[in-house]
Amino acid sequence: MISVVIPVYQKARHIERALNSALGSLVDACADFEIIVVDDGSTDGSGDIARSWVKDNHRAIRAQVISQDNRGVSAARNAGWRSAKGDLILFLDADDEWTVSHVGEILELAELYPQASLMTTAWSVIRRDGCQVFHQFGIGADLKGLLPCFFRAMSTGPMPVSSSNAAVPMWALRQTGGFPDGVTHGEDTVAWGKLALLGPVAYSPQIGAVWHQDADNRSDLGKPIAANYMLFLESALKLNSLTDDMKKSIWINRDIEAARMAGLMPLYFHDSPGRIDAMTAEQKAMLVEIRDRFADQLVTSIEAETYASPAMNC
């Protein structure tokens, strides 16, 4: 069985769309499933809308709404997967939606690559003007299969995995602990990085999720770039289990994150590593200054760990 986890906070205008899209994709894939909505202390009626949806569909599907005080999206996702009965956990944000083919693609990846600690499809964005935008993802994220190197893909294009297109085996979540509690921005990116240290990442270039930029209360708009993922990468470089190629990819990913925080590289490009190499001595000193400035913000929940069988997919 697969479990779908949907955290919701102040998404009354969107939660029903997310639920309907999830159900449509699950039914199309003929999946055995459950849906778990975690209401993270919403005050706008989001939880009531989800409970009404569950009540209307309870004869046909397994679904539940878990309510908790507002503790943040990491705690909500963790509460969801820890309550799940499935062997594979699919995540969806309450203001996004799945395409009808998403679940089928994920199940095919899970069958083809049972060793993968993380599975994902591609995603697109619907802008505020209603235009749908498609992306050129990072190096290696153009073919279906195992990403040659997750960290290289992360640093050379839009991130190939998000909290609306990710699927994670229960065994992998139990080993990494899921999402870092208390981290309010970039928490999902840290979680994906930890999973990529645990095992290979399986990817499909077929669009499986759609982000809506006009959504209410989006956590990824209007906020400065968080240092959490950069700090995670910095800590990962201290692990003794990394191959030389993997360490180089993480090192480049870390410096590109620092360059973004310094305002030197607003977006990811396929030639981002080359842009780092071409920086002046003054610009490279800025990257060191950025890393030093945020070093004391590293907390245990975002620190990289060594696993018994680390991924060596770079």
Side-chain angles (χ1 to χ4, degrees), residues 262 264 276 278-290:
L264 299 175
I276 293 290
M279 283 183 175
T280 64
E282 182 180 3
Q283 290 173 322
K284 290 181 178 180
M286 289 177 65
L287 304 188
V288 175
E289 190 275 330
I290 285 287

Side-chain angles (χ1 to χ4, degrees), residues 1 6 13 16 40 68 110 119 158 167 198 207 209 215 248:
M1 185 171 71
I6 306 177
R13 195 163 64 93
E16 193 166 1
D40 189 37
Q68 63 179 33
M119 285 151 269
L198 177 63
I207 300 295
K248 180 179 180 181

Side-chain angles (χ1 to χ4, degrees), residues 4 18 28-29 33 77-78 90 94 106-107 113 137 176 185 197 225 255 257 274 280 314:
V4 179
D28 185 75
F33 66 91
R77 291 193 188 110
N78 287 338
L90 280 65
I106 289 295
L107 291 179
Y113 308 105
F137 292 95
T176 64
H185 200 49
L197 291 176
I225 298 171
D255 278 2
E257 290 297 310
T280 64
C314 286

Side-chain angles (χ1 to χ4, degrees), residues 54-129:
V54 168
K55 183 179 179 181
D56 290 344
N57 291 277
H58 78 281
R59 294 184 183 277
I61 65 173
R62 286 184 294 267
Q64 63 172 311
V65 178
I66 298 172
S67 298
Q68 63 179 33
D69 293 336
N70 181 239
R71 295 171 50 208
V73 69
S74 282
R77 291 193 188 110
N78 287 338
W81 71 259
R82 286 170 182 158
S83 300
K85 297 179 175 64
D87 298 319
L88 183 64
I89 315 300
L90 280 65
F91 294 96
L92 173 62
D93 284 349
D95 50 10
D96 296 329
E97 63 180 312
W98 285 345
T99 64
V100 71
S101 64
H102 173 67
V103 174
E105 282 293 299
I106 289 295
L107 291 179
E108 185 174 337
L109 289 174
E111 183 176 357
L112 290 171
Y113 308 105
Q115 75 275 32
S117 57
L118 175 61
M119 285 151 269
T120 178
T121 57
W123 52 272
S124 66
V125 172
I126 295 182
R127 300 188 318 212
R128 292 180 180 274
D129 61 6

Side-chain angles (χ1 to χ4, degrees), residues 182-309:
V183 177
T184 58
H185 200 49
E187 76 294 327
D188 54 341
T189 317
V190 172
W192 315 143
K194 288 189 176 187
L195 289 163
L197 291 176
L198 177 63
V201 178
Y203 172 82
S204 169
Q206 184 162 321
I207 300 295
V210 180
W211 295 10
H212 289 268
Q213 286 191 340
D214 69 342
D216 301 330
N217 192 37
R218 281 209 74 103
S219 62
D220 57 345
L221 296 177
K223 292 186 178 180
I225 298 171
N228 293 318
Y229 183 56
M230 180 188 71
L231 293 172
F232 160 76
L233 295 168
E234 185 78 35
S235 69
L237 288 171
K238 300 175 183 177
L239 301 178
N240 295 323
S241 57
L242 303 179
T243 65
D244 289 343
D245 284 345
M246 199 169 190
K247 184 171 290 188
K248 180 179 180 181
S249 295
I250 293 173
W251 174 77
I252 292 171
N253 199 175
R254 177 206 63 183
D255 278 2
I256 289 172
E257 290 297 310
R260 292 183 70 233
M261 296 190 67
L264 299 175
M265 193 178 296
L267 297 172
Y268 300 101
F269 305 94
H270 275 205
D271 65 345
S272 292
R275 296 184 184 209
I276 293 290
D277 289 340
M279 283 183 175
T280 64
E282 182 180 3
Q283 290 173 322
K284 290 181 178 180
M286 289 177 65
L287 304 188
V288 175
E289 190 275 330
I290 285 287
R291 299 202 306 269
D292 290 345
R293 185 194 310 173
F294 290 94
D296 62 351
Q297 293 187 18
L298 177 65
V299 294
T300 302
S301 63
I302 64 173
E303 198 165 2
E305 302 175 56
T306 297
Y307 301 106
S309 299

Side-chain angles (χ1 to χ4, degrees), residues 122-146:
W123 52 272
S124 66
V125 172
I126 295 182
R127 300 188 318 212
R128 292 180 180 274
D129 61 6
C131 180
Q132 188 167 10
V133 178
F134 300 91
H135 300 288
Q136 181 185 29
F137 292 95
I139 294 173
D142 53 348
L143 298 174
K144 189 171 185 173
L146 297 178

